[in-house]
Amino acid sequence: MSSESVRVLLLAEAANPSWRSVPLVGWSHCEAIAQQTDAHLVTQVRNRDAILKEGWREPDDFTAIDSEAIAYPIYRATSLLRGGAGKGWTTDQAFSTVSYYYFEYLVWRKFKEELKAGRFDIVHRVTPMSPTKPSPMAKWCHSIGVPFVLGPLNGGLPWPSEFPDLARQENEWLAKFRDFYHYLPYQKLTRECSAAVLAGSRNVYEGWNRQAPQRTFYMPENGLDLDRLCQPRNRKAKLPIEVLFVGRMVPYKGADLLIEALGPLIRGEKVRLKLIGDGPHKPALIAQVDRLGLQHGVDFHKPVRHSELGEHYAAADIFGFPSLRELGGAVVIEAMAQGMVPVVVDYGGPPEFLTPETGVVLPMGDRAKIVSSMRRAVATFVDDPSKIHRISSQARAEARRRFSWQRKASDDVRVYEWLLGRGPRPDLSPPSPYGHPPANSLERNSAEHRPVPRGRDSCSKVGDAPVKKRSARPLA
């Protein structure tokens, strides 16, 4: 890291290299940014030990904020209300908002004087990723002329109407009240005072882009660790075709749809299926396999360490992932990087990663439609396994080109430099929908390439009208 780099204060309440999901994504993203900037990470105290094991030093490289006085009681209460592990995500997000207010208050109290003194050029909130969680820091940073970057944000995807019982099965009783988040303290100011917003999906991008096109950028939250996902593909596609599923075994992930779709192909010994994961839906999936008489061709594998997934990806042909409401879908990107052919449903994040040359996207529909289209898609590869090799090589190249953490951090830096008046506005727009020709970048975003609004008086209440920039200050 160079003293001439952009100086970034990274806020990542969830950032843990030893955990999965959002904490791992938060850590990976921040680590990549730190390799390209002069960054200081601020995270929650629960992540301290894992970060120290990575060789980072406290307080030189990061600061652990102890917000447990409020965070722990909220966590205990939420665990009771969620109705079981892996369920009630909306409930978790709603109640943890209270502890996140406290976290940012402690961050501001600790770093306010350094920010006022010009120690940092940019403040970037990497996690939480939910757009329902306000950031008082957006307003506070705006008041002293420090640009605040928000995201990647992802969330708010409606439950699919084709599966009306899905939200109930996931214990998402609070989802019907989700829109009340608009009335939370600092929610409006977060929107108005963020200098740039990174949208993690087309759904979020379109919502923000309607209000502030100049400040909105597309950046899927998931990325690839190229050093880990480097196992060469160690099999040539042949019968039986190896299909892999990786994920939590909960209803919306659609593993039951996959089992039903592949049933005839498994009985004919044309396909084998491996499911890696655990969750409350697993006993029902095992019972389904027994009922259909598929035990000889279906393997339930216990969860494995994230660092060990690569060998499973490399030994399979098709990544079957008919998730019905997937916001991100890191496993799809990882499967691509290992040369698998993803087969996903056209809803949420996964289809945004694919083109007809790199995977298969099934139309959303009711259960019968998805099962039928999944069966036909896999049968196409059973009839001609050489198609797997052709798609595999392109999927691998595309994933490594678009989704490495290093690539994402480079895009972050381009946004920072634009905010500071050091470079042009980067063109970070969503890809064209699956099967559509690429859009012209000028048509996708015709906003004038000018620095984003920021200043000391008030936030951008209408559109993206420019205001006077603050000049950079020397290190304190």
Side-chain angles (χ1 to χ4, degrees):
M1 294 182 291
S2 167
S3 61
E4 297 178 358
S5 300
V6 179
R7 300 166 299 171
V8 189
L9 186 67
L10 294 171
L11 306 187
E13 192 263 357
N16 195 308
S18 299
W19 294 355
R20 296 173 181 265
S21 190
V22 173
L24 179 60
V25 170
W27 163 257
S28 300
H29 199 162
C30 289
E31 183 185 38
I33 293 172
Q35 291 171 358
Q36 300 187 33
T37 67
D38 181 3
H40 186 87
L41 170 63
V42 187
T43 190
Q44 212 271 352
V45 70
R46 72 178 78 93
N47 306 311
R48 172 188 279 150
D49 291 345
I51 293 175
L52 288 171
K53 289 179 181 177
E54 294 295 313
W56 285 42
R57 299 167 300 168
E58 186 182 14
D60 297 335
D61 302 323
F62 78 101
T63 297
I65 298 292
D66 188 351
S67 57
E68 288 294 280
I70 290 180
Y72 184 70
I74 292 290
Y75 167 77
R76 293 284 296 173
T78 304
S79 299
L80 296 174
L81 292 169
R82 290 184 69 172
K87 293 186 176 182
W89 176 253
T90 304
T91 302
D92 175 76
Q93 294 299 298
F95 284 87
S96 62
T97 297
V98 177
S99 60
Y100 189 69
Y101 280 125
Y102 184 53
F103 174 79
E104 283 207 356
Y105 163 73
L106 295 177
V107 173
W108 177 250
R109 190 171 70 176
K110 183 170 184 62
F111 287 93
K112 176 174 62 175
E113 296 307 319
E114 289 186 71
L115 287 165
K116 287 182 176 180
R119 169 64 182 86
F120 299 98
D121 302 313
I122 298 281
V123 176
H124 181 177
R125 183 188 110 175
V126 178
T127 67
M129 296 177 184
S130 172
T132 65
K133 289 193 175 179
S135 264
M137 286 286 291
K139 170 60 177 174
W140 300 336
C141 288
H142 186 279
S143 69
I144 60 173
V146 177
F148 183 85
V149 177
L150 182 64
L153 298 179
N154 206 354
L157 189 68
W159 288 92
S161 59
E162 294 86 353
F163 292 83
D165 293 334
L166 200 57
R168 178 187 56 79
Q169 292 173 344
E170 295 289 344
N171 202 35
E172 287 288 352
W173 59 273
L174 200 57
K176 65 181 71 175
F177 304 108
R178 183 183 183 278
D179 284 347
F180 280 95
Y181 84 89
H182 291 292
Y183 304 101
L184 290 173
Y186 286 97
Q187 181 63 45
K188 187 170 182 286
L189 288 171
T190 300
R191 285 181 169 267
E192 294 173 349
C193 297
S194 296
V197 177
L198 309 179
S201 65
R202 180 181 286 108
N203 178 60
V204 174
Y205 179 88
E206 290 174 350
W208 281 83
N209 195 52
R210 282 192 294 270
Q211 300 180 45
Q214 181 71 0
R215 297 187 277 136
T216 305
F217 302 88
Y218 176 79
M219 181 183 290
E221 78 266 28
N222 294 303
L224 291 172
D225 181 350
L226 296 183
D227 292 334
R228 181 179 62 81
L229 287 171
C230 59
Q231 289 92 340
R233 183 171 169 77
N234 57 14
R235 70 174 254 117
K236 181 178 180 180
K238 61 182 180 180
L239 298 184
I241 298 297
E242 298 285 349
V243 179
L244 177 68
F245 170 93
V246 177
R248 289 187 300 120
M249 294 183 180
V250 292
Y252 82 85
K253 292 288 185 178
D256 59 319
L257 302 175
L258 184 62
I259 293 169
E260 183 177 344
L262 299 184
L265 299 173
I266 293 172
R267 290 191 201 96
E269 299 186 350
K270 303 291 182 64
V271 165
R272 286 198 296 253
L273 173 63
K274 178 190 288 186
L275 301 103
I276 299 178
D278 205 351
H281 201 215
K282 188 172 184 177
L285 297 175
I286 294 173
Q288 180 188 18
V289 168
D290 292 343
R291 185 173 67 254
L292 296 175
L294 305 176
Q295 300 93 327
H296 67 285
V298 178
D299 175 26
F300 285 93
H301 197 290
K302 65 181 181 181
V304 300
R305 294 178 182 273
H306 192 251
S307 59
E308 298 171 356
L309 273 176
E311 61 188 75
H312 294 276
Y313 289 136
D317 303 308
I318 293 174
F319 189 70
F321 195 66
S323 181
L324 301 172
R325 187 180 177 270
E326 195 68 27
L327 299 177
V331 287
V332 177
I333 297 174
E334 293 175 351
M336 290 172 65
Q338 288 295 114
M340 295 184 67
V341 178
V343 182
V344 305
V345 173
D346 193 7
Y347 197 68
E352 297 177 21
F353 308 147
L354 301 176
T355 69
E357 293 74 34
T358 59
V360 178
V361 175
L362 311 174
M364 174 54 95
D366 60 18
R367 182 182 187 92
K369 183 176 180 179
I370 292 176
V371 166
S372 175
S373 57
M374 172 67 78
R375 186 176 298 153
R376 288 196 305 270
V378 176
T380 299
F381 297 107
V382 169
D383 294 339
D384 184 3
S386 67
K387 291 181 179 178
I388 292 175
H389 175 73
R390 292 196 295 271
I391 295 179
S392 168
S393 58
Q394 294 187 71
R396 183 180 176 91
E398 180 74 355
R400 290 164 177 262
R401 181 183 68 84
R402 287 180 55 198
F403 299 117
S404 73
W405 287 118
Q406 293 76 15
R407 167 68 183 270
K408 289 184 182 298
S410 296
D411 288 339
D412 289 313
V413 172
R414 291 165 61 203
V415 173
Y416 301 159
E417 290 178 340
W418 170 67
L419 289 173
L420 299 172
R422 301 178 187 176
R425 183 186 186 281
D427 178 20
L428 300 175
S429 302
S432 298
Y434 183 86
H436 289 66
N440 183 286
S441 62
L442 294 178
E443 294 174 354
R444 286 199 305 256
N445 198 328
S446 59
E448 194 179 321
H449 285 200
R450 60 178 181 266
V452 77
R454 60 183 185 272
R456 297 177 182 273
D457 299 327
S458 62
C459 301
S460 310
K461 301 204 183 301
V462 181
D464 289 312
V467 300
K468 185 177 180 180
K469 295 190 303 177
R470 185 191 75 165
S471 60
R473 297 177 180 172
L475 282 169

